[in-house]
Amino acid sequence: AGAAMPDRRTVSPGIASQMEVPIAPRDAVDALAVSELSHVTEEARVFMALGHNDRPIEVLQDHIRRLPRSMPAAWLFLLDLYQQEGDRAEFRKLADTFHTHFNVRAPLWEEFVAESSLAGGIESFPIVEQQIVKVWRQPSCRAYLEGLLYDNRDGRRNGFPLAAYSGILTLL
């Protein structure tokens, strides 16, 4: 019998195209997902402005439950709300789940607010930084950056520090 092909969910887009293995589209990385994320975060902000602090959490939880591998911004927003509310248990649970879906270290409660301003950005990963420079303004750049965001090793990666992860998000 022939060699078994790797499972398409564990193959990066670049490698998959070389192997001619179709990649199933992620749950929501397209214009519709960005539009929905914008709607969800705007709705959460309106509820916050009106003083309904439970509703933004419910809105974001529902979005994440429906589209767990959508844009990570909803996850980060919800982590921030849990911290503002002082809910360590929900923060920890969401941070651990966040790590299983995305290529980022599970954020720690004590470091969450300050972590994005700490060292440990993309410049701490010279090989990644060199590859970004190499593919910048190339059609493959977006796919490369998106490939950095998502865990493709079933949670066996340490993931990027939040500062580096935020830097990658900013480049997209």
Side-chain angles (χ1 to χ4, degrees):
M5 291 297 288
D7 182 52
R8 69 178 176 206
R9 291 168 292 162
T10 61
V11 177
S12 71
I15 293 171
S17 65
Q18 293 171 3
M19 296 175 9
E20 297 182 25
V21 174
I23 297 267
R26 286 195 310 267
D27 293 334
V29 179
D30 58 12
L32 183 60
V34 172
S35 175
E36 173 158 346
L37 177 64
S38 178
H39 172 76
V40 166
T41 56
E42 184 62 28
E43 183 179 357
R45 289 183 206 287
V46 168
F47 282 124
M48 288 172 60
L50 295 173
H52 300 284
N53 294 336
D54 291 347
R55 284 295 295 145
I57 290 173
E58 292 170 11
V59 166
L60 292 166
Q61 285 173 333
D62 180 58
H63 173 76
I64 289 169
R65 208 174 359 265
R66 286 183 300 105
L67 301 168
R69 288 185 59 95
S70 73
M71 306 296 264
W75 292 76
L76 294 170
F77 192 174
L78 186 54
L79 283 167
D80 190 47
L81 288 175
Y82 284 147
Q83 191 170 62
Q84 287 178 30
E85 294 293 313
D87 194 338
R88 285 179 179 258
E90 288 299 318
F91 180 95
R92 178 80 269 133
K93 196 177 350 174
L94 184 67
D96 289 341
T97 306
F98 183 51
H99 171 69
T100 63
H101 288 289
F102 300 96
N103 188 25
V104 64
R105 292 182 193 144
L108 300 174
W109 176 271
E110 297 79 15
E111 299 171 355
F112 185 68
V113 172
E115 189 167 349
S116 62
S117 63
L118 295 175
I122 297 171
E123 67 279 357
S124 299
F125 299 88
I127 293 172
V128 171
E129 186 177 37
Q130 289 169 4
Q131 184 63 23
I132 291 171
V133 169
K134 181 179 174 183
V135 298
W136 192 251
R137 296 184 187 243
Q138 301 297 317
S140 61
C141 185
R142 183 171 187 84
Y144 177 72
L145 292 170
E146 287 177 350
L148 295 173
L149 295 178
Y150 295 91
D151 178 30
N152 60 1
R153 295 185 188 165
D154 296 322
R156 293 187 310 261
R157 283 185 157 173
N158 287 332
F160 290 107
L162 194 53
Y165 196 79
S166 295
I168 295 165
L169 284 172
T170 300
L171 293 174
L172 283 170

